[in-house]
Each structure stands twice: as structure tokens, then as C-alpha cells.
Amino acid sequence: MFPTVLPLRAVLSQILILWLAIAIESWFFQKFLILNPKTSVEYAAVINLFSTCIGWLIFFIWESFLSKNELELLMGYILLGQWNPISVLLIVGAFLIYTISFLGKWKGLEILQLLLQVNQKKLAVSAPKKSSTLGHRHKKFAQVFTQAGVVLIAHTCSHCAILLVLYLESK
């Protein structure tokens, strides 16, 4: 029988990180993409879960390239919360994770909106159209920020909050 380790600390940390990221990013989506609160939370939840799945897949591929010492440091942090000296490879990996997760969220949001537009077109045939209730000021405010810019700002703010939580957790 293979020995198994349940990384409960990592699972609970991931859940906390997801809740924090969804809360922060949904606020940005609501304010800058002019979405209602329910839709902004749904969008943030879907793209964060998508990004997390992609991130874990990349992590499992990436960790196979680490040396034994770096792997022990990484597993010590993930399983036990031990904060040891960080190598250059781990710093580069963290930057790549940030960039890839941003790209995953941005493209995930585009895919989600594309899928929802196809679904809404099917529903629009049977239902009468509603008029837009956005005010002129809100439309102008929404045009200032591109979708990629809003995702980048939201992603950056959520990652700053996550880094703060991880730092406080390690102390």
C-alpha cells in the first residue's frame, strides 16, 4: 500500500485564498464592468476555479523539474508551513504563476462571456428584449477600463491580499 498524506493545511489555505480572491475580484467586476452583484460573484468564482485548476496542473508539471533540495523546501512550506530561504527558481515560478493565472482569468472571462452570449441568443428568440437601464455616466465609466485592465487590477489586488494573508499565516 502506498503511503498517503492529506495536505489539509494546503486545502484549507486554497479555500481561504479562493474566497478572498472571489470577494475582491467580484467587487472590481461589479464596479468597473458594471455587472450586478450576483453576476460578478459568479464570474469571479468561475474564472478563479478555472485558474486554480490550471495553476495546480502547471504546479504538478513544474515540481517535477525541481531539485531534491528545492522540492523539500516547497513541500515543507505546503505541508508544514515552514518558511525557509527561497531560491531563484521558486521566485521565477511565483512570477510565472501570477502571469499565467492572470492570462487564465482573462481568457476564462472571455470564454465565459462568449458561452453566455450564445446561450442568451437562444433565449432571446423566445423572450422579448429588455431596454438597457444603465445611465450615461455608468456607460462612460465602463468604457474607461478595458476588460483585460479590470481583470489585471482585480487580479493584482487579490494577489496582494493573498500574499498578506500567507505572510500573516507564516508568522
Side-chain angles (χ1 to χ4, degrees):
M1 184 181 334
F2 293 106
T4 58
V5 176
L6 178 64
L8 189 58
R9 180 188 176 282
V11 171
L12 293 176
S13 292
Q14 186 67 59
I15 291 170
L16 173 68
I17 287 169
L18 277 172
W19 280 346
L20 187 61
I22 290 168
I24 291 170
E25 291 176 15
S26 68
W27 183 84
F28 279 96
F29 293 167
Q30 182 182 354
K31 293 295 180 190
F32 298 117
L33 295 180
I34 315 299
L35 298 172
N36 64 29
K38 180 182 175 189
T39 305
S40 64
V41 170
E42 290 171 350
Y43 280 15
V46 169
I47 66 171
N48 274 292
L49 288 172
F50 174 73
S51 176
T52 300
C53 290
I54 298 297
W56 277 107
L57 287 173
I58 291 171
F59 169 78
F60 287 123
I61 293 168
W62 174 62
E63 64 91 19
S64 65
F65 295 107
L66 293 175
S67 69
K68 184 179 179 182
N69 186 34
E70 290 170 333
L71 189 60
E72 287 176 1
L73 290 173
L74 185 63
M75 291 302 144
Y77 174 70
I78 291 173
L79 297 175
L80 306 172
Q82 296 172 343
W83 194 256
N84 292 318
I86 300 174
S87 70
V88 174
L89 185 60
L90 292 177
I91 293 172
V92 169
F95 179 73
L96 286 174
I97 288 169
Y98 170 81
T99 305
I100 290 170
S101 63
F102 161 68
L103 292 173
K105 287 179 182 181
W106 178 34
K107 291 303 176 185
L109 184 59
E110 287 181 353
I111 291 169
L112 180 62
Q113 287 180 331
L114 180 68
L115 291 173
L116 290 174
Q117 285 176 355
V118 169
N119 192 21
Q120 287 176 353
K121 285 180 182 178
K122 290 178 184 177
L123 292 174
V125 172
S126 62
K129 291 192 172 190
K130 295 181 181 178
S131 62
S132 177
T133 58
L134 286 179
H136 179 68
R137 187 179 80 113
H138 289 294
K139 286 181 182 178
K140 193 172 186 179
F141 188 66
Q143 291 173 353
V144 171
F145 295 100
T146 64
Q147 187 171 334
V150 171
V151 173
L152 179 63
I153 292 169
H155 181 66
T156 303
C157 290
S158 67
H159 268 263
C160 288
I162 288 166
L163 285 174
L164 179 65
V165 166
L166 291 176
Y167 175 76
L168 293 174
E169 184 181 52
S170 69
K171 292 297 175 187

